[in-house]
Amino acid sequence: MDAVEQAATKEAESSIDLLVIVLDTNPSQQFVRQSPQNLTQVLESIIAFGNAHLMQKAQNQLAVISCSHHSTDFLYPVPGRQVELRQIDGQYEAFSLVEKTVKQQLGNILMNAPRLSSPCESLLAGSMTMALCYISRLQRNVAAGAKMHSRILVVTGSNECASQYMTFMNVFFTAQKLGIVVDTCALDKTLSLLQQGCDITNGQFLKVTQLDGLLQYLLWVFLPAPQMRHKLVLPPPPKVDYRASCFCHRELIDIGYVCSVCLSVFCKYSPICTTCHTIFKTPGPLPIKPKKKKKVEKQM
Amino acid sequence: MADDENEDQKEYRWETGYEKTWEAIKEDDDGLLDSAIAEIIQKAKRKRQVQKAKQNRLGMMRHLFVVIDCSESMSVPDLKPTRLLCTLKLLEIFIEEFFDQNPISQLGIIALKAKRAEKITELTGTARVHLKALEGLANVTLTSEPSLQNGLDMALKTLKVVPSHASREIVVIMGSLTTCDPVDINLTIDELVKEGIRCSVISLSAEIHVCRYLTQKTLGTYGAVLDDAHFRDQLLSQVDPPPAAKTQHNSLIRMGFPHSKDEVEGKDAPLSMCMCHVDNLDEPSELCTTGHHCPQCKSKYCELPVECQSCGLTLVSAPHLARSYHHLFPVPNYEELSMESVPQLSECDGIRKCYGCQKVLSAPHDKMVFKCSHCKQFYCIDCDIFIHETLHACVGCNTIPGVAGLIYQQQQQGGKTIAAETHDMLPSTSKQQRQFSM
């Protein structure tokens, strides 16, 4: 081992890895509607995965955020009083603390949740802003000299909602700026916005085809720290489509017109911007019109 | 120039009364200074953010020339190690930040050397070129006087031909107290005013009348630096896009959104070279399968955003545009309240916590808390700053469905709704939307 590599290993050993799991607990997700048992299974996998992360290094830290249809809450850690703990079967206390707290908190949230009359979207982007606030606080408080690597893992089976586009983008750019990796584990559908986010922040996107093997997928793809992922054989990155969709018809376009004031995208030229009501100076299309008129005159 | 006195309301330091700076520090009940100091720190943190004025129309596509004085006066070591080296170091930060915040803008650098102006870099959108050029400037010999007029003239010549929908700006960094110009500088200033080019000056020594006059006439900002930290603040304040100039013409700009080529099933894309490195002998192009293809002429580029070399189409990706949206939809400032107004959580032993980072709020460090007037959640000072300066999205407004939903409906009833189809790209938080429709 040469000196550079040795230094890198030493750095990796002393650094703190923070993993924030954003778990979608919305009951309108496809897999929950099929069978409520599935949510329990996903939760068990998440807890086991979280504990596996804590097990890797003594300094590692974990946070779990639940994103439900009515609110976003921290499942672990919870400020204030700790859950009462007794050692069970010789299990390391920190692990049973994670398990107990997460289950108890999620239980409270689900019991207090308002009844859901119709399926509604999960505000995942909002939950990610909360995760970023939490990470930025921990990063501010890191002791001098110590390094902290943070990442966010989103586990969701929801459809993504275009109304959260702006928040998602703000989240991705903030994460990119702070060097936070965003990973996504999609349980149901391919999510193009989160795919873009993973690409922007160098994270990993994975669509799980079989829910039964969730823990295995998690341990295989998302457990290794991002710094050592290039040494592993992981699923190839999907081709991300970065085309903009126009504001007028919501279609993906190759060539479009962009308003110089508010940067709205249109697929056709229009004399007034529908978003900021700016009136444009007409460039190209006008000179063509008089020509046509002339032709008509001549014919007449 | 007699109108200066009326326009300039700013008082100079020596004209104000005697300041008793120590009176700001007061002992608390226990005779400690901790709380007073914490308060001062908090105030300083928030100051910059409150100053940020809300703007509806901004010049988002910027063409900016940085004019650097490279005369003898730049070798003065009052900024460490010298004025020039300090400037170059800060410019590096500025350039990275500039392209981060203004992805579809262009920048160029002009150096004022021995009464002459020399263009170091042309207007381009890639930070790499500028950073490389700055490295070269570090070893330049600093002699003689600068010529402000020559520098402005050179920038003017290039900016004149820039399309009128762009915001055109010049930032001058002056070390010298004098300028040695060929003819009357007022002619150049008049020309700049006519073209609507915004000029800002940062002076490293003292205030110079002609510079202040220039900035007043062209609606720019003027600053004389106190020390390197102040210099940094002055420079970074140029990163935010300025309000759109009145002379600026609004127009729709044709842009291309490249995507990876549609491949034949089961086959990799053919190996090809990218246009950006074809002529570049220092870094020769590599044959590869990946890249962005211009939708019009199919030439390949390895980085975006770029202007297509063969057909002149501006190529961008959707996130580039999205990156600038936060200037247009800023999070409104929060209300400052005392900590006692935060409700105590009954289930957690009556503690108060910050909604964003879950920090348990405690005196004296969290004496002041911040409340969003839309979602009615409370935040600690650090979250307040983080949300406004980095995240640009309010946590509460984005996590509580009722808040987002309710105001959406209100807006629709109010008849101020922006066409329903546009929802997909619009800000998700309703309050941002309300501002936007004004």
Side-chain angles (χ1 to χ4, degrees), chain A residues 218-231:
Chain A
L218 289 174
L219 292 176
W220 166 49
V221 180
F222 298 112
L223 189 60
Q227 302 88 290
M228 57 176 73
R229 281 187 192 163
H230 62 273
K231 291 184 178 162

PDB file of all heavy atoms in Angstrom, chain A residues 218-231:
ATOM      1  N   LEU A 218     -30.805  -3.254  -0.587  1.00  0.00           N
ATOM      2  CA  LEU A 218     -30.285  -2.125   0.184  1.00  0.00           C
ATOM      3  C   LEU A 218     -28.844  -2.367   0.601  1.00  0.00           C
ATOM      4  O   LEU A 218     -27.979  -1.505   0.456  1.00  0.00           O
ATOM      5  CB  LEU A 218     -31.152  -1.899   1.428  1.00  0.00           C
ATOM      6  CG  LEU A 218     -32.565  -1.329   1.217  1.00  0.00           C
ATOM      7  CD1 LEU A 218     -33.313  -1.309   2.531  1.00  0.00           C
ATOM      8  CD2 LEU A 218     -32.496   0.062   0.626  1.00  0.00           C
ATOM      9  N   LEU A 219     -28.604  -3.573   1.131  1.00  0.00           N
ATOM     10  CA  LEU A 219     -27.262  -3.885   1.628  1.00  0.00           C
ATOM     11  C   LEU A 219     -26.242  -3.924   0.489  1.00  0.00           C
ATOM     12  O   LEU A 219     -25.096  -3.536   0.649  1.00  0.00           O
ATOM     13  CB  LEU A 219     -27.266  -5.226   2.364  1.00  0.00           C
ATOM     14  CG  LEU A 219     -28.046  -5.242   3.674  1.00  0.00           C
ATOM     15  CD1 LEU A 219     -28.059  -6.654   4.249  1.00  0.00           C
ATOM     16  CD2 LEU A 219     -27.458  -4.278   4.672  1.00  0.00           C
ATOM     17  N   TRP A 220     -26.705  -4.358  -0.653  1.00  0.00           N
ATOM     18  CA  TRP A 220     -25.796  -4.529  -1.784  1.00  0.00           C
ATOM     19  C   TRP A 220     -25.454  -3.186  -2.427  1.00  0.00           C
ATOM     20  O   TRP A 220     -24.292  -2.852  -2.652  1.00  0.00           O
ATOM     21  CB  TRP A 220     -26.448  -5.476  -2.805  1.00  0.00           C
ATOM     22  CG  TRP A 220     -25.818  -5.506  -4.145  1.00  0.00           C
ATOM     23  CD1 TRP A 220     -24.500  -5.643  -4.424  1.00  0.00           C
ATOM     24  CD2 TRP A 220     -26.494  -5.403  -5.406  1.00  0.00           C
ATOM     25  NE1 TRP A 220     -24.297  -5.639  -5.781  1.00  0.00           N
ATOM     26  CE2 TRP A 220     -25.496  -5.494  -6.402  1.00  0.00           C
ATOM     27  CE3 TRP A 220     -27.828  -5.274  -5.782  1.00  0.00           C
ATOM     28  CZ2 TRP A 220     -25.809  -5.429  -7.764  1.00  0.00           C
ATOM     29  CZ3 TRP A 220     -28.133  -5.220  -7.130  1.00  0.00           C
ATOM     30  CH2 TRP A 220     -27.130  -5.289  -8.107  1.00  0.00           C
ATOM     31  N   VAL A 221     -26.472  -2.373  -2.688  1.00  0.00           N
ATOM     32  CA  VAL A 221     -26.253  -1.155  -3.455  1.00  0.00           C
ATOM     33  C   VAL A 221     -25.971   0.060  -2.583  1.00  0.00           C
ATOM     34  O   VAL A 221     -25.111   0.868  -2.896  1.00  0.00           O
ATOM     35  CB  VAL A 221     -27.477  -0.867  -4.358  1.00  0.00           C
ATOM     36  CG1 VAL A 221     -27.265   0.400  -5.156  1.00  0.00           C
ATOM     37  CG2 VAL A 221     -27.725  -2.027  -5.289  1.00  0.00           C
ATOM     38  N   PHE A 222     -26.695   0.177  -1.457  1.00  0.00           N
ATOM     39  CA  PHE A 222     -26.641   1.438  -0.730  1.00  0.00           C
ATOM     40  C   PHE A 222     -25.798   1.425   0.529  1.00  0.00           C
ATOM     41  O   PHE A 222     -25.540   2.469   1.109  1.00  0.00           O
ATOM     42  CB  PHE A 222     -28.064   1.890  -0.377  1.00  0.00           C
ATOM     43  CG  PHE A 222     -28.915   2.141  -1.592  1.00  0.00           C
ATOM     44  CD1 PHE A 222     -29.981   1.324  -1.902  1.00  0.00           C
ATOM     45  CD2 PHE A 222     -28.613   3.208  -2.431  1.00  0.00           C
ATOM     46  CE1 PHE A 222     -30.750   1.560  -3.027  1.00  0.00           C
ATOM     47  CE2 PHE A 222     -29.377   3.439  -3.561  1.00  0.00           C
ATOM     48  CZ  PHE A 222     -30.447   2.615  -3.859  1.00  0.00           C
ATOM     49  N   LEU A 223     -25.384   0.265   0.992  1.00  0.00           N
ATOM     50  CA  LEU A 223     -24.590   0.254   2.220  1.00  0.00           C
ATOM     51  C   LEU A 223     -23.163   0.788   2.026  1.00  0.00           C
ATOM     52  O   LEU A 223     -22.687   1.553   2.857  1.00  0.00           O
ATOM     53  CB  LEU A 223     -24.572  -1.163   2.823  1.00  0.00           C
ATOM     54  CG  LEU A 223     -23.953  -1.247   4.217  1.00  0.00           C
ATOM     55  CD1 LEU A 223     -24.722  -0.380   5.192  1.00  0.00           C
ATOM     56  CD2 LEU A 223     -23.908  -2.668   4.718  1.00  0.00           C
ATOM     57  N   PRO A 224     -22.462   0.409   0.956  1.00  0.00           N
ATOM     58  CA  PRO A 224     -21.095   0.914   0.813  1.00  0.00           C
ATOM     59  C   PRO A 224     -21.078   2.444   0.694  1.00  0.00           C
ATOM     60  O   PRO A 224     -21.952   3.025   0.064  1.00  0.00           O
ATOM     61  CB  PRO A 224     -20.612   0.283  -0.502  1.00  0.00           C
ATOM     62  CG  PRO A 224     -21.540  -0.811  -0.792  1.00  0.00           C
ATOM     63  CD  PRO A 224     -22.833  -0.459  -0.164  1.00  0.00           C
ATOM     64  N   ALA A 225     -20.096   3.072   1.332  1.00  0.00           N
ATOM     65  CA  ALA A 225     -19.991   4.525   1.288  1.00  0.00           C
ATOM     66  C   ALA A 225     -19.727   4.955  -0.152  1.00  0.00           C
ATOM     67  O   ALA A 225     -19.077   4.229  -0.911  1.00  0.00           O
ATOM     68  CB  ALA A 225     -18.849   4.977   2.184  1.00  0.00           C
ATOM     69  N   PRO A 226     -20.224   6.131  -0.539  1.00  0.00           N
ATOM     70  CA  PRO A 226     -20.057   6.593  -1.927  1.00  0.00           C
ATOM     71  C   PRO A 226     -18.592   6.628  -2.378  1.00  0.00           C
ATOM     72  O   PRO A 226     -18.305   6.433  -3.544  1.00  0.00           O
ATOM     73  CB  PRO A 226     -20.638   8.008  -1.895  1.00  0.00           C
ATOM     74  CG  PRO A 226     -21.590   8.013  -0.764  1.00  0.00           C
ATOM     75  CD  PRO A 226     -21.060   7.051   0.237  1.00  0.00           C
ATOM     76  N   GLN A 227     -17.674   6.838  -1.423  1.00  0.00           N
ATOM     77  CA  GLN A 227     -16.257   6.947  -1.792  1.00  0.00           C
ATOM     78  C   GLN A 227     -15.700   5.625  -2.316  1.00  0.00           C
ATOM     79  O   GLN A 227     -14.712   5.595  -3.025  1.00  0.00           O
ATOM     80  CB  GLN A 227     -15.405   7.389  -0.593  1.00  0.00           C
ATOM     81  CG  GLN A 227     -15.796   8.700   0.026  1.00  0.00           C
ATOM     82  CD  GLN A 227     -16.857   8.534   1.099  1.00  0.00           C
ATOM     83  OE1 GLN A 227     -18.000   8.220   0.795  1.00  0.00           O
ATOM     84  NE2 GLN A 227     -16.472   8.726   2.342  1.00  0.00           N
ATOM     85  N   MET A 228     -16.313   4.510  -1.889  1.00  0.00           N
ATOM     86  CA  MET A 228     -15.729   3.232  -2.336  1.00  0.00           C
ATOM     87  C   MET A 228     -16.604   2.560  -3.386  1.00  0.00           C
ATOM     88  O   MET A 228     -16.339   1.447  -3.796  1.00  0.00           O
ATOM     89  CB  MET A 228     -15.507   2.303  -1.143  1.00  0.00           C
ATOM     90  CG  MET A 228     -16.740   2.000  -0.342  1.00  0.00           C
ATOM     91  SD  MET A 228     -16.375   0.809   0.944  1.00  0.00           S
ATOM     92  CE  MET A 228     -15.439   1.814   2.096  1.00  0.00           C
ATOM     93  N   ARG A 229     -17.634   3.256  -3.822  1.00  0.00           N
ATOM     94  CA  ARG A 229     -18.552   2.624  -4.772  1.00  0.00           C
ATOM     95  C   ARG A 229     -17.919   2.361  -6.129  1.00  0.00           C
ATOM     96  O   ARG A 229     -18.310   1.435  -6.821  1.00  0.00           O
ATOM     97  CB  ARG A 229     -19.791   3.491  -4.972  1.00  0.00           C
ATOM     98  CG  ARG A 229     -20.763   3.334  -3.825  1.00  0.00           C
ATOM     99  CD  ARG A 229     -22.040   4.052  -4.112  1.00  0.00           C
ATOM    100  NE  ARG A 229     -22.827   4.113  -2.894  1.00  0.00           N
ATOM    101  CZ  ARG A 229     -23.827   4.938  -2.705  1.00  0.00           C
ATOM    102  NH1 ARG A 229     -24.145   5.802  -3.654  1.00  0.00           N
ATOM    103  NH2 ARG A 229     -24.488   4.930  -1.589  1.00  0.00           N
ATOM    104  N   HIS A 230     -16.944   3.201  -6.498  1.00  0.00           N
ATOM    105  CA  HIS A 230     -16.359   3.006  -7.825  1.00  0.00           C
ATOM    106  C   HIS A 230     -15.575   1.703  -7.916  1.00  0.00           C
ATOM    107  O   HIS A 230     -15.234   1.251  -8.999  1.00  0.00           O
ATOM    108  CB  HIS A 230     -15.476   4.204  -8.187  1.00  0.00           C
ATOM    109  CG  HIS A 230     -14.319   4.393  -7.266  1.00  0.00           C
ATOM    110  ND1 HIS A 230     -14.421   5.122  -6.101  1.00  0.00           N
ATOM    111  CD2 HIS A 230     -13.051   3.940  -7.321  1.00  0.00           C
ATOM    112  CE1 HIS A 230     -13.245   5.107  -5.489  1.00  0.00           C
ATOM    113  NE2 HIS A 230     -12.400   4.400  -6.211  1.00  0.00           N
ATOM    114  N   LYS A 231     -15.288   1.099  -6.768  1.00  0.00           N
ATOM    115  CA  LYS A 231     -14.548  -0.163  -6.790  1.00  0.00           C
ATOM    116  C   LYS A 231     -15.483  -1.357  -6.906  1.00  0.00           C
ATOM    117  O   LYS A 231     -15.043  -2.488  -7.049  1.00  0.00           O
ATOM    118  CB  LYS A 231     -13.718  -0.292  -5.519  1.00  0.00           C
ATOM    119  CG  LYS A 231     -12.584   0.704  -5.472  1.00  0.00           C
ATOM    120  CD  LYS A 231     -11.716   0.509  -4.269  1.00  0.00           C
ATOM    121  CE  LYS A 231     -10.574   1.508  -4.302  1.00  0.00           C
ATOM    122  NZ  LYS A 231      -9.923   1.684  -3.030  1.00  0.00           N
TER     123      LYS A 231
END
